[in-house]
């Protein structure tokens, strides 16, 4: 046998290995093939190919493994059980950039499914290797490493802490400044995943100087980047007042408001979330947002969007109105504001959005009679009552609508809006409705006339109250405002009394 | 001598007259004495009365002067007090006026400034409109931009396709597929094909390091120029930091906590707490451990009757009538009583007996 023939055998073997690995990788990119591949035992075949001498075979084998692990959790567990990870981590330090990209892809695919798998990835010492990858020059390698780190940090606080302890944060902040868009996106998403768990982690990210760079990217035209940037900023600002103030000091307002009308739906949602997280902390921050014209923008956003994405906008309006009476008035004054929320309450089928709208309306209306009037005029009260008494309403919705009703009723003296409540309300609410009437009627003759003509007096007479209770006193106060004949006329059983008198009457002659 | 004889002849007469006169005098002596005494008494009384009157007048004069003096003292004290009270009232009124003006000013400026709030809300409406308009404009611009970008992209794709497929262009001899001889004019694709220039041949890709991906440059890096230093510096005086100046000029009003608290702060806080509690309360049925707080006192049936207090006490608990007993056996409770009585009887019998014995002996 000549040398050439011997070498040909090896060449053929190498070629077949290469084709096998490439075909498997290609097949694994389609989800319907993966089950078949797994059943055929692709995992166990690919594993020794990771140690192949030919680098391209190694890379493609890693790529194929990554695609397999990406598909579902069982395959990822199989990857972990087959002890592939330590080998990957070891070679991550040595090999060239294509291998690094593929290996990072495998790590990311394994870590994304569950905290347990992510923990096993961390236990193999992947973090240090990934952080070293972040220092590379090639943007593709950095992107893959940042993606893997983001997926690891996503699950819970401990994993995020371990990512931070590995020293990833300053490198991620450097990655954000790179010119490549995809790298920026991934690093912003990784930072957002780190920040969301606890204030200390968010503080670490802020200390690395992330806010300035994130703020610079706010006006970037790329929609996906903006999604991640706003998500990161909102995760930072949600934890504490100081962090929110630091985010605001980066001068994102009013530039951020233009993104409320962005073409991408998720950008809008994330901006609304960011504004909500900032507004909820203190009255000063809310004042800042209101002064920048944020309320009008959010109102328009709530009006135009549908479904779950409305929720952060509604909650933001509630938070702003909750802080102080001035801010609630500012919210009312942004035209068609209250009607917008009332419409939300009516339209949305989901209970939690209705609950949020009810809560926000309660916060707006609870400060002074002016506010309560503005809310009541939008015909909100019967709707809130309906939400409270509806049989299929969730408990959260019932509690929130009851509280909102009580908040508004405490201050509402606009009698026209209270009329419908007289007829439908349950007794504990009815007591306060009647109480409010008893406060206003003694002083206002026009209201008294309206009260009689609209049937309110009749309804009040029909209410049964125990003597000595507050309701009884209110009813007495109301009855004292009217002449006796009218009160007697409307009292129940008066028609029977009159008829009895008719029966007993003896006509003269 | 003649007068003497005459006198002696008249002796009897004289003696009788003397005697008569003396007797008359004697008779009238007591009356006259009494009269004299009366006159003297009266005169003495008048003297004493005058003296007493004089004393009274002196005393009155002294008292008058003394009382006037005391009264004037009291009067002066009263006047002093009255003046004090008057001045106090005046100062209070002035202080009230100052406080009234200050409180009105403070509340109107720092607690609730109606006009500035009105202005603020009006400004806010205007600002909102501006922001709305700006947002709308920016959105429209972005839409137009993206539309234009899409169009450019489509155009570029078309040109790219055309540059790659230039062989579909028609020649002098052979009409291309877009230039059908049966149509009056060629397809627009034909014109595009004609217009587009072919892609230039690809340049050689720069060499990259395999491991790190860095581009290996062909030529060594060029030296960079550094910026020149400034020409001449003018010395300017030591300035205060602008922040300091701003702080001095626009120092904000920092009221104390006492001034900043409203007068009804405690009542408002109480009312707010109560209201909040009512709102957050889940169950509105208040738990009452008793339903009737004040009940009328109902006395015992035993002690009330129309005929006064019923007989009550141990003396009336046990009523015994031995004649009504069914049997004449002694109840066990009476045994000890009887026993005691017996003892006493026995003792007396013995005594009697001993006495008798003594009497006998």
């Amino acid at each position: 046998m000549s040398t050439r023939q011997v070498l040909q055998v090896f060449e053929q073997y190498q070629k077949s290995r290469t084709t096998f690995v490439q075909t498997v990788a290609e097949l694994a990119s389609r989800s319907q093939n993966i089950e078949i591949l797994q059943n055929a035992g692709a995992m166990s075949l690919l594993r020794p190919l990771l140690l192949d001498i030919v680098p391209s075979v190694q890379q493609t084998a890693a790529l194929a493994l990554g695609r397999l692990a990406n598909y579902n959790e069982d395959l990822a567990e199989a990857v972990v059980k087959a002890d592939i990870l330590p080998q990957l981590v070891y070679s991550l330090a040595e090999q060239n950039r294509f291998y690094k990209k593929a290996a990072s892809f495998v790590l990311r695919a394994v870590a994304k499914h569950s905290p347990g798998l992510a923990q096993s990835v961390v236990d193999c010492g992947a973090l240090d290797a990934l952080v070293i990858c972040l220092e590379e020059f090639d943007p593709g390698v950095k992107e893959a490493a940042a993606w893997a780190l983001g997926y690891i940090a996503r699950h819970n606080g401990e994993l995020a802490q371990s990512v931070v302890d590995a020293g990833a944060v300053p490198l991620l902040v450097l990655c954000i400044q790179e010119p490549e868009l995809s790298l920026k996106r991934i690093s912003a998403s990784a930072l957002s995943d780190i920040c969301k768990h606890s204030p200390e982690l968010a503080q670490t990210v802020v200390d690395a100087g992330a806010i300035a760079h994130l703020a610079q990217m706010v006006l970037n035209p790329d929609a996906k980047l903006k999604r991640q940037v706003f998500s990161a900023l909102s995760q930072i600002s949600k934890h504490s007042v100081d962090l929110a103030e630091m985010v605001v000091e980066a001068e994102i307002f009013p530039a951020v408001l233009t993104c409320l009308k962005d073409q991408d739906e998720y950008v809008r949602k994330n901006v609304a979330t960011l504004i909500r997280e900032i507004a909820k902390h203190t009255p000063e921050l809310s004042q800042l947002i209101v002064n920048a014209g944020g309320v009008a923008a959010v109102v328009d956003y709530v009006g135009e969007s549908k479904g779950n994405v409305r929720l952060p906008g509604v909650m933001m309006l509630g938070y702003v109105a909750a802080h102080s009476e001035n801010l609630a008035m500012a919210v009312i004054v942004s035209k068609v504001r209250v009607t917008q929320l009332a419409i939300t309450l009516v339209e949305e089928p989901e209970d939690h959005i209705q609950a949020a709208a009810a809560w926000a309306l309660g916060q707006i209306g609870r400060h002074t009679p002016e506010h309560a009037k503005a809310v009541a005029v939008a015909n909100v009260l019967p709707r809130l009552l309906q939400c409270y008494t509806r049989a299929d309403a969730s408990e959260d919705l019932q509690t929130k609508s009851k509280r909102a009703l009580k908040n508004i009723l405490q201050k509402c003296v606009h009698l026209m809006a209270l009329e419908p409540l007289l007829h439908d309300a349950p007794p504990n609410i009815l007591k306060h409705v009647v109480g409010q009437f008893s406060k206003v009627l003694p002083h206002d003759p026009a209201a008294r006339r309206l009260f009689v003509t609209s049937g309110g007096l009749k309804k009040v007479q029909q209410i049964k109250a125990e003597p000595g209770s507050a309701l009884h006193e209110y009813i007495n106060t109301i009855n004292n405002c009217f002449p006796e004949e009218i009160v007697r006329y409307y009292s129940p059983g008066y028609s029977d009394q009159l008829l009895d008198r008719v029966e007993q009457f003896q006509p003269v002659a | 001598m003649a007068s003497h004889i005459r006198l002696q002849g008249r002796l009897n007469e004289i003696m009788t007259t003397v005697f008569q006169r003396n007797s008359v005098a004697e008779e009238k002596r007591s009356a006259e004495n009494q009269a004299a005494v009366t006159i003297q008494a009266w005169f003495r009384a008048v003297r004493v009365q005058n003296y007493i009157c004089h004393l009274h007048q002196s005393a009155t004069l002294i008292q008058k002067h003394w009382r006037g003096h005391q009264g004037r003292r009291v009067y002066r004290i009263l006047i002093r007090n009255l003046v004090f009270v008057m001045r106090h009232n005046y100062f209070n009124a002035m202080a009230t006026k100052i406080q009234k003006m200050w409180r009105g000013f403070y509340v109107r400026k720092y607690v609730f400034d109606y006009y500035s709030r009105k202005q603020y809300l009006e400004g806010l409406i205007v600002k909102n409109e501006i922001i709305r308009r700006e947002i709308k404009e920016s959105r429209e611009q972005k839409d137009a931009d993206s539309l234009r970008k899409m169009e450019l992209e489509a155009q570029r794709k078309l040109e790219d396709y055309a540059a790659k497929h230039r062989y579909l262009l028609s020649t002098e001899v052979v009409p291309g597929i877009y230039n059908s001889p049966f149509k009056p004019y060629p397809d627009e694709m034909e014109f595009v094909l004609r217009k587009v220039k072919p892609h230039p041949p690809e340049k050689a890709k720069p060499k990259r390091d395999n491991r790190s991906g860095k581009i290996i440059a062909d030529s060594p890096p060029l030296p960079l120029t550094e910026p020149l230093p400034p020409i001449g510096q003018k010395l300017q005086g030591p300035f205060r930091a602008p922040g300091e100046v701003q702080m001095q000029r626009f120092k904000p009003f920092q009221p104390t906590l006492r001034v900043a608290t409203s007068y009804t702060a405690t009542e408002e806080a109480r009312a707010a707490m109560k209201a909040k509690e009512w709102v957050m309360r889940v169950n509105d049925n208040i738990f009452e451990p008793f339903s009737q707080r004040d009940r009328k006192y109902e006395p015992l049936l035993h002690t009330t009757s129309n005929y006064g207090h019923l007989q009550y006490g141990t003396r009336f608990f046990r009523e015994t009538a031995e004649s009504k007993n069914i049997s004449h056996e002694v109840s066990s409770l009476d045994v000890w009583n009887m026993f005691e009585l017996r003892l006493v009887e026995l003792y007396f019998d013995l005594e009697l007996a001993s006495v008798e014995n003594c009497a006998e002996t």
Side-chain angles (χ1 to χ4, degrees), chain A residues 92-148:
Chain A
L92 205 55
E94 315 269 304
Q95 300 283 356
N96 65 8
R97 57 198 171 108
F98 302 105
Y99 188 83
K100 282 190 187 162
K101 271 198 257 190
S104 312
F105 172 50
V106 177
L107 290 172
R108 161 179 121 221
V110 167
K112 91 171 184 194
H113 294 285
S114 83
L117 287 170
Q119 187 61 46
S120 51
V121 168
V122 169
D123 291 335
C124 300
L127 283 179
D128 295 323
L130 286 170
V131 166
I132 293 175
C133 281
L134 270 181
E135 291 173 340
E136 292 279 322
F137 288 106
D138 182 49
V141 172
K142 283 197 270 204
E143 186 185 325
W147 211 336

Side-chain angles (χ1 to χ4, degrees), chain A residues 178-196:
Chain A
E178 296 281 331
E180 287 82 21
L181 258 185
S182 53
L183 182 55
K184 283 204 227 244
R185 273 187 223 144
I186 303 296
S187 346
S189 146
L191 284 173
S192 154
D193 287 330
I194 292 176
C195 295
K196 76 182 180 196

